[in-house]
């Protein structure tokens, strides 16, 4: 390695020519804190959960902010066993140009597997992590998906049926 920090998601999106807005906010980690800081509903957010496989490969699950991940469905979509998933730690995220609480599906880790829930494409304009805890990206969901080459799409979430998160 050359000792340089990897590019973060905003720099990667810019290099791809993708249109987005970067919103600064207080250093927060939970989706609800981000929503409060930006004055947006949870349903207008996309959260990215980061895992590592037994081979230290990064696996990013991308889902609506108000949805719950179905771990077995994610593992099947990624072609691995559920038991082979572990939460990514801060050091692993740093190697991908991100911090915990700011994870984005756009990553400097070219070997990362990314699985979008099938509902994300229909969300319109959303807010997602920027790689940092002190800012968020506002972007069209379809453009976010298009910016991640070789991403998979699968049904990996449970959505609330009563409108609650």
């Amino acid at each position: 390695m050359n000792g340089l920090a990897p590019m973060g998601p905003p720099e990667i999106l810019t290099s791809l020519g993708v249109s987005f807005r970067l919103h600064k906010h207080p250093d927060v980690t939970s989706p609800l804190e981000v929503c409060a800081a930006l004055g947006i509903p949870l349903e207008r957010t996309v959260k990215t959960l980061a895992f590592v496989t037994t081979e230290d490969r990064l696996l990013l699950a991308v889902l609506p902010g108000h949805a719950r991940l179905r771990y077995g469905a994610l593992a099947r979509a990624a072609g691995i066993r559920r038991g082979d998933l572990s939460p990514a730690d801060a050091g692993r995220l740093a190697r991908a140009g991100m911090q915990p609480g700011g994870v984005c599906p756009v990553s400097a880790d070219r070997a990362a597997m990314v699985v979008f829930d099938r509902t994300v494409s229909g969300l319109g304009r959303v807010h997602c992590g920027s790689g940092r805890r002190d800012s968020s990206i506002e972007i069209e969901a379809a453009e976010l998906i298009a910016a991640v080459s070789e991403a998979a799409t699968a049904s990996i979430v449970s959505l609330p049926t009563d409108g609650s998160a």
Side-chain angles (χ1 to χ4, degrees):
M1 289 206 35
N2 61 13
L4 296 176
M7 279 199 314
E11 293 82 12
I12 295 168
L13 289 170
T14 298
S15 74
L16 294 172
V18 177
S19 176
F20 68 94
R21 286 187 60 204
L22 190 64
H23 294 274
K24 297 286 188 183
H25 52 68
D27 198 15
V28 295
T29 57
S30 83
L32 291 176
E33 290 173 319
V34 172
C35 290
L38 297 175
I40 58 170
L42 192 57
E43 294 79 12
R44 301 293 342 140
T45 66
V46 171
K47 63 184 170 188
T48 305
L49 304 178
F51 301 92
V52 289
T53 67
T54 54
E55 295 82 25
D56 194 42
R57 188 169 181 196
L58 192 61
L59 172 58
L60 302 173
V62 189
L63 49 149
H66 64 295
R68 290 181 168 237
L69 179 64
R70 294 181 318 152
Y71 292 88
L74 172 63
R76 283 189 299 280
I80 60 175
R81 293 179 330 116
R82 165 63 181 103
D84 292 341
L85 286 177
S86 298
D89 65 17
R92 184 64 184 86
L93 289 173
R95 292 190 351 239
M98 296 185 279
Q99 300 174 334
V103 180
C104 181
V106 177
S107 157
D109 186 337
R110 296 186 187 269
M113 289 185 283
V114 181
V115 179
F116 283 90
D117 183 71
R118 64 175 175 75
T119 61
V120 171
S121 64
L123 293 178
R125 196 145 187 92
V126 295
H127 292 259
C128 69
S130 70
R132 299 175 47 98
R133 290 183 292 266
D134 63 357
S135 59
S136 298
I137 291 171
E138 181 182 354
I139 189 171
E140 287 294 328
E143 289 188 49
L144 180 62
I145 293 168
V148 183
S149 63
E150 301 181 34
T153 301
S155 181
I156 60 169
V157 303
S158 296
L159 291 170
T161 56
D162 64 357
S164 65

